[in-house]
Amino acid sequence: MKLHILGCYAATPRTMTNPTSQVLEVRNHMFLIDCGEGTQVQLRKHKIKFSRINHIFISHLHGDHFFGLPGLISTFRLLGREKELHVYGPNGIKEAITLLLKLGDSWTNYPLYFHELTSKEPEVVFEDDKIKVETIRLNHRIYTNGFLFKEKLGERKLNVEAVAKYKVDKAYFQNIKNGRDVVLDNGTVIPNTDLSFDPPTPKSYAYCSDTAYKPDIVGQITNASTMYHESTFLESEAHLAERTKHSTAKEAAAIAKAANIGQLILGHYSTRYKSIELFKEEALEVFPNVELADDGKFFDF
């Protein structure tokens, strides 16, 4: 999994910081997660191909998480896109986007599908043979979902030396990768475990955008490889976090610890603070493996 942070600051764009948007690369997919103002500029700046984005996941309908979407959809049209584009987001997102397209008489010339979400429980919103994406119910001022991206178990890896030793024909290679034993012409059965190695352990990524401290998500995200969790405030402003339904860095770290997360990435910082290093310092008091998101930063896990 490869994560590109395009923007990770709260509220409004500034000259040096951008609102929330990120791209997750996994199993030949390039998922766009949230689409704050300026997202397409960041995509160009970091040389991420627009054409590879076929699925966009919007956590909630606050502007710093989706105001970049109308522009991006329009740019796809201007670039001559023909492939389908799927947008997953809260109920109302279709009305908001299509009204702008209607008023500007700029309907897309490619299939545009909206998958509006209303469930108060986690639900699977995308699935193929390689990955599954499900919502994480969060607690913000309006209906908000995080997203859990989970790899499925892949093919077994061929043991090249073993298949050469047993002189196994190439015609059997795919069956071996699928976990099947091989029966030689003389009737000898070679167990699959002698001819292949276990596939890599599937990875998972939990994206938890704007939310108050919500420990009941722990069961769903337990053992995730990496979690991005908002940390709008420090403990000194915990009263503001409670009032605005945001989290502090320590609260994000508490979720990571309880869920046995592999790596915690903090983001969605309030710009009132002089240094984002303060967020990491507070989180490290609770959880040992903490990284800071920042615009343009890249994570490979």
Side-chain angles (χ1 to χ4, degrees):
M1 289 187 171
K2 298 178 181 180
L3 182 67
H4 304 260
I5 304 295
L6 304 179
C8 63
Y9 289 80
T12 61
R14 300 189 303 167
T15 54
M16 299 299 291
T17 62
N18 293 274
T20 302
S21 184
Q22 52 186 248
V23 169
L24 179 68
E25 288 187 73
V26 53
R27 298 287 189 93
N28 295 320
H29 286 294
M30 185 170 276
F31 297 126
L32 178 63
I33 311 170
D34 275 339
C35 191
E37 187 176 347
T39 290
Q40 61 177 311
V41 175
Q42 288 293 89
L43 288 170
R44 291 188 185 280
K45 181 178 179 180
H46 298 290
K47 296 179 170 58
I48 297 173
K49 291 184 178 180
F50 285 39
S51 60
R52 290 193 58 198
I53 297 173
N54 299 317
H55 302 272
I56 300 176
F57 299 86
I58 302 297
S59 61
H60 64 296
L61 297 183
H62 278 161
D64 56 335
H65 291 259
F66 93 107
F67 275 178
L69 186 57
L72 182 60
I73 287 174
S74 295
T75 295
F76 281 143
R77 173 179 177 267
L78 295 173
L79 293 175
R81 183 187 180 99
E82 296 180 353
K83 291 190 299 183
E84 296 179 354
L85 180 65
H86 294 263
V87 178
Y88 308 80
N91 186 40
I93 192 168
K94 180 178 180 179
E95 179 184 4
I97 300 301
T98 55
L99 176 60
L100 292 175
L101 298 179
K102 176 183 177 181
L103 293 175
D105 192 20
S106 54
W107 297 107
T108 63
N109 52 0
Y110 58 88
L112 175 61
Y113 297 102
F114 291 93
H115 306 266
E116 296 194 301
L117 310 176
T118 58
S119 176
K120 295 182 180 180
E121 300 295 331
E123 63 176 330
V124 175
V125 293
F126 173 82
E127 185 171 15
D128 64 11
D129 60 337
K130 296 178 180 178
I131 191 164
K132 180 166 69 172
V133 184
E134 58 189 49
T135 58
I136 304 170
R137 286 290 296 117
L138 300 177
N139 178 19
H140 194 40
R141 299 192 303 276
I142 60 174
Y143 179 81
T144 303
N145 289 303
F147 299 98
L148 179 61
F149 300 81
K150 299 193 295 185
E151 284 186 316
K152 293 184 177 180
L153 191 66
E155 293 181 334
R156 297 184 64 81
K157 289 193 171 183
L158 202 66
N159 184 332
V160 178
E161 293 182 0
V163 295
K165 172 185 173 182
Y166 289 105
K167 298 179 180 179
V168 176
D169 190 275
K170 292 181 180 179
Y172 293 99
F173 284 5
Q174 189 57 53
N175 284 341
I176 294 172
K177 292 179 182 179
N178 291 339
R180 298 177 185 174
D181 298 335
V182 170
V183 181
L184 299 180
D185 292 340
N186 62 9
T188 302
V189 177
I190 306 175
N192 183 270
T193 51
D194 291 349
L195 300 172
S196 65
F197 301 109
D198 290 339
T201 302
K203 296 176 181 178
S204 56
Y205 173 59
Y207 172 78
C208 302
S209 67
D210 298 19
T211 184
Y213 179 59
K214 195 170 187 290
D216 63 1
I217 69 172
V218 166
Q220 183 183 7
I221 65 174
T222 293
N223 297 325
S225 309
T226 295
M227 176 179 71
Y228 173 94
H229 197 290
E230 77 119 285
S231 55
T232 307
F233 297 106
L234 298 176
E235 283 299 302
S236 54
E237 281 70 47
H239 62 288
L240 294 179
E242 183 177 359
R243 190 177 77 198
T244 59
K245 289 190 178 293
H246 281 294
S247 296
T248 67
K250 275 191 175 181
E251 288 173 334
I255 296 292
K257 181 179 180 180
N260 193 36
I261 299 297
Q263 173 183 233
L264 169 64
I265 301 174
L266 298 176
H268 201 266
Y269 319 108
S270 167
T271 53
R272 71 183 58 229
Y273 303 105
K274 293 181 178 180
S275 171
I276 62 174
E277 288 295 329
L278 298 172
F279 292 88
K280 184 173 183 177
E281 291 173 9
E282 285 202 351
L284 284 172
E285 296 176 13
V286 177
F287 186 73
N289 191 5
V290 180
E291 297 290 342
L292 294 173
D294 207 353
D295 295 2
K297 200 166 184 179
F298 174 80
F299 297 90
D300 193 343
F301 54 92

